[in-house]
Amino acid sequence: MLTFDREDLLFQLFKVANVDDILAAERYAHLDETTVHGILDAAEQLAVDFFEPIARKADEEEPTIVDGKVQLIPEAQGAIDAYIESGFMAAGFEQDIDGSDLPETVMQAAFFILATANVAYTGYGLLTTAAGRLLAKFASDEQKKDYLLPMVAGRFFATMCLSEPHAGSSLADIRTTATPNDDGSYAISGNKMWISSGDHELSENIVHLVMAKIPGGPAGVKGISLFIVPKYRLDADGNPGETNDVTLAGLNHKMGYRGITNCAMNFGDNGQCIGYLVGQEHKGLSYMFHMMNEARIFVGVGATALGQAGYQASLNYARERPQGRHPDAKGADSNQVAIIEHADIRRLLLAQKAAVEPAFALGLYCAKLVDITRSSDDQSKIDEANLLLEMLTPITKSWPSEFCLESNKHALQVLGGAGYTRDYPIERYYRDNRLNPIHEGTHGIQGLDFLGRKSRMLDGTGLQLLIEKIKASIDLAKQTDASKEMAGQLETALTTFEAVSSHLIKQLEKDPRAALANATLYLDLGGHIVMAWMHFRIVIATATVSSNEDFVKGKWQSARYFFNRELVRSKQWSETLLASESSAHDMQDSWF
């Protein structure tokens, strides 16, 4: 079953994101447009041949523990091997460590294809890529040789081990310890929870990146260090040898995302777990943010991909399902019409389209910012890209996680009772997508970050830069008669957003608890402003399309829907924020 729109993906990649700008950089001289098409072809073939056909089975037959080992469906190994053989494990790494050095923009486009087909199985590779990039930046040469190179080759997989059963997202309260050994290694002891890809038999070894505290170090997050903790220790030849006292304590039984294992892990139950410090002591959280921020972009694009898959499934169903008649043609002798002829079904479809398209545009926009930081020789452009990326990461992660999940709700509604059954994949898409507002920093945590830190970053320079970028698109949109009205709508909303930002930043100084109580709503407001901006980027780019009039009209109608039905919500949200509405802040435990 086709789960994405190839024409739209190419339009987004080449016309909206303008990936040719990145391909022109010296770093990517080994690539051209033909090569990129070949990479997308490979991703589509992998999705069609291996990922999509087993998505339902992987969901229904979730991982189990048999004789102490994780057991996946038999087809899992073939799918993951095909992923590696297709070059996607090595794709995101530089050539000097045997990688293909693909631009992040192209990587995200390929990931989007795979995630629409089977989002859970993308996790094994993407976690390894993100962990590998962290090691490439901060690990020692010996650590890179022993662990990074086998990861690039697909022999070793990797995880990120942050959360603990008692602490959750409160990393200041982790208890896992790392006690120095005489040989420079560390004895690791502790428990970790919610570890995706934490244990399996898909690879020769699993490299756990574990956050732990060295006894005597600073309190809170300032005392966190980062360690390489392999499942198996390496022998003299660098191959997996004896076990490293890393134990699978159990599998978490999830609502969705069932194809990838999610584990409770014990480290050092027998006092024999060895870890190796990455970088400097007490710098672990700053290192891990390198991986976490990358993962947050993947989460947003993955949420968008699930929204896209649901949209495609419900669109196909609506075109094929006959039911009912037009209100002015109720005669018994008249033929039934496909449900796409009904206005409310079109509303449900258009709501999905209007959410998925700008969300994907934002994911590619952020990926391009990453590419600029890696390939530009202009430091001012690098600094600007980094600052914009800091500002947009909370929105990139959270807006698709919230509103493309809502798209899945609309997709299910198009199918009615059929959508609520397992005969169709939409209920699975919904269950899979429900994880995205939770992991890699919940929706609420992203709100705290966006208001509490990002809005004030560098004395507000980042926020002002974002606003200036949006204003530039508004000015461009004013030059086209068809988009003048929308330009005015966004200009008004943006002016109000500036006022809200100023109000909340002042309130933060006086009463941070009251201000941050409304941080999530502020994130939603900022997200809607940014998505309207992305719609502008999309409709402006349609000027380069002349071969498909329906395609262009669809983009404009999608933007029109968003501005008339979604952006208008920003007015009420702004009024609530400017009034410092405090019902949640004032509520007391005993009143519930």
Side-chain angles (χ1 to χ4, degrees):
M1 182 183 72
L2 187 64
T3 52
F4 75 102
D5 183 337
R6 177 69 178 247
E7 182 180 14
D8 177 67
L9 185 143
L10 294 176
F11 167 74
Q12 291 261 20
L13 183 60
F14 286 100
K15 303 301 184 182
V16 182
N18 290 313
V19 72
D20 287 332
D21 296 345
I22 299 301
L23 296 178
E26 182 178 351
R27 173 170 178 166
Y28 300 116
H30 60 293
L31 302 170
D32 57 21
E33 186 171 332
T34 300
T35 312
V36 171
H37 280 279
I39 292 163
L40 299 179
D41 288 342
E44 185 171 355
Q45 198 67 48
L46 180 62
V48 170
D49 290 348
F50 290 95
F51 274 41
E52 198 278 331
I54 64 173
R56 176 173 176 174
K57 184 175 182 179
D59 175 72
E60 293 178 347
E61 300 178 22
E62 61 181 308
T64 57
I65 301 175
V66 178
D67 296 329
K69 294 184 177 181
V70 172
Q71 181 171 296
L72 303 172
I73 60 172
E75 298 88 345
Q77 189 72 60
I80 297 302
D81 288 348
Y83 177 91
I84 296 167
E85 291 164 7
S86 297
F88 288 108
M89 189 70 90
F93 295 103
E94 295 184 21
Q95 291 178 307
D96 62 359
I97 54 172
D98 301 328
S100 304
D101 202 14
L102 291 189
E104 188 70 12
T105 321
V106 178
M107 279 277 292
Q108 291 290 350
F111 162 63
F112 181 79
I113 294 172
L114 295 173
T116 64
N118 189 334
V119 70
Y121 272 36
T122 63
Y124 293 106
L126 293 177
L127 280 165
T128 302
T129 297
R133 285 173 169 171
L134 184 155
L135 294 180
K137 188 173 181 67
F138 300 112
S140 68
D141 289 342
E142 183 178 4
Q143 289 170 343
K144 291 176 184 178
K145 176 180 69 70
D146 288 344
Y147 298 102
L148 175 57
L149 292 182
M151 288 161 63
V152 176
R155 293 176 50 224
F156 294 2
F157 286 8
T159 73
M160 53 194 299
C161 296
L162 288 75
S163 297
E164 298 182 5
H166 65 280
S169 299
S170 182
L171 297 179
D173 299 312
I174 65 170
R175 298 172 185 162
T176 298
T177 60
T179 304
N181 293 320
D182 293 339
D183 62 358
S185 66
Y186 290 75
I188 308 297
S189 177
N191 314 103
K192 295 292 182 178
M193 177 60 94
W194 313 118
I195 309 305
S196 294
S197 188
D199 199 44
H200 52 74
E201 302 298 317
L202 296 170
S203 59
E204 296 177 28
N205 205 351
I206 300 175
V207 180
H208 299 287
L209 295 185
V210 177
M211 299 185 76
K213 293 183 176 181
I214 299 171
V221 295
K222 293 181 179 180
I224 294 175
S225 299
L226 183 64
F227 299 87
I228 293 171
V229 184
K231 178 179 179 179
Y232 300 106
R233 299 178 192 175
L234 303 185
D235 63 20
D237 297 320
N239 295 314
E242 62 182 322
T243 60
N244 190 32
D245 198 10
V246 177
T247 309
L248 172 64
L251 293 173
N252 296 308
H253 301 287
K254 301 172 292 176
M255 173 179 171
Y257 250 88
R258 293 174 179 169
I260 186 170
T261 59
N262 189 273
C263 307
M265 306 293 300
N266 292 344
F267 295 88
D269 277 354
N270 302 304
Q272 300 296 317
C273 184
I274 295 175
Y276 307 95
L277 179 69
V278 176
Q280 301 177 36
E281 292 183 351
H282 316 313
K283 299 289 186 181
L285 188 59
S286 64
Y287 299 156
M288 185 56 79
F289 264 113
H290 184 81
M291 182 176 180
M292 288 167 65
N293 284 332
E294 183 171 326
R296 284 169 178 167
I297 297 176
F298 278 119
V299 168
V301 174
T304 305
L306 287 165
Q308 171 69 214
Y311 170 57
Q312 292 299 322
S314 61
L315 177 60
N316 292 336
Y317 183 90
R319 285 171 168 165
E320 296 172 356
R321 166 69 171 176
Q323 184 173 318
R325 295 163 179 81
H326 288 298
D328 54 354
K330 289 290 191 180
D333 57 345
S334 62
N335 293 325
Q336 287 189 318
V337 296
I339 62 172
I340 199 170
E341 291 293 316
H342 300 306
D344 198 57
I345 296 297
R346 294 184 183 185
R347 173 186 65 84
L348 294 168
L349 293 169
L350 194 50
Q352 296 174 68
K353 181 179 173 68
V356 168
E357 290 177 348
F360 187 42
L362 179 60
L364 292 181
Y365 184 85
C366 288
K368 187 175 181 180
L369 292 175
V370 172
D371 287 329
I372 291 171
T373 66
R374 294 174 180 170
S375 63
S376 178
D377 54 8
D378 185 333
Q379 189 59 46
S380 64
K381 289 184 178 179
I382 293 173
D383 292 342
E384 180 181 277
N386 274 320
L387 190 54
L388 267 177
L389 196 58
E390 284 279 340
M391 288 300 305
L392 288 170
T393 295
I395 294 173
T396 306
K397 187 273 176 187
S398 280
W399 196 95
S401 297
E402 281 288 303
F403 293 98
C404 289
L405 173 65
E406 190 169 311
S407 293
N408 289 141
K409 181 190 76 174
H410 295 322
L412 194 153
Q413 190 70 18
V414 169
L415 274 67
Y420 197 62
T421 70
R422 288 192 294 273
D423 296 331
Y424 293 88
I426 295 173
E427 61 86 28
R428 168 164 49 85
Y429 299 151
Y430 186 92
R431 288 187 288 104
D432 285 347
N433 220 350
R434 190 59 189 84
L435 175 62
N436 289 315
I438 297 173
H439 68 163
E440 302 306 335
T442 65
H443 192 54
I445 286 175
Q446 300 303 323
L448 294 174
D449 180 45
F450 187 60
L451 174 57
R453 193 167 74 88
K454 300 298 174 60
S455 68
R456 298 185 292 176
M457 189 169 53
L458 300 178
D459 294 325
T461 303
L463 181 62
Q464 193 56 44
L465 175 61
L466 175 59
I467 289 170
E468 288 172 2
K469 291 292 183 181
I470 298 173
K471 286 181 176 178
S473 288
I474 291 173
D475 291 340
L476 194 58
K478 286 180 177 178
Q479 299 174 19
T480 304
D481 288 340
S483 57
K484 278 184 179 179
E485 182 180 353
M486 286 190 291
Q489 289 174 278
L490 181 54
E491 189 170 43
T492 299
L494 184 62
T495 299
T496 306
F497 174 70
E498 291 184 82
V500 169
S501 299
S502 177
H503 169 76
L504 289 175
I505 289 169
K506 290 177 182 177
Q507 189 184 25
L508 275 169
E509 302 300 325
K510 298 177 181 178
D511 190 349
R513 288 191 183 186
L516 292 173
N518 284 325
T520 304
L521 186 60
Y522 178 67
L523 175 66
D524 289 342
L525 173 62
H528 265 52
I529 298 287
V530 167
M531 289 305 156
W533 173 36
M534 290 296 118
H535 269 296
F536 267 159
R537 289 173 51 82
I538 291 168
V539 296
I540 290 168
T542 61
T544 64
V545 178
S546 58
S547 58
N548 189 335
E549 185 178 353
D550 286 340
F551 181 86
V552 171
K553 287 181 177 179
K555 299 302 179 194
W556 280 89
Q557 199 72 355
S558 177
R560 179 186 170 198
Y561 179 93
F562 188 87
F563 275 74
N564 291 342
R565 301 242 186 165
E566 286 295 329
L567 186 61
V568 292
R569 298 168 71 183
S570 68
K571 183 176 185 295
Q572 179 193 344
W573 293 344
S574 296
E575 290 172 353
T576 300
L577 291 166
L578 287 170
S580 299
E581 200 286 319
S582 61
S583 56
H585 174 259
D586 296 340
M587 185 65 178
Q588 302 297 307
D589 183 355
S590 61
W591 300 353
F592 282 103

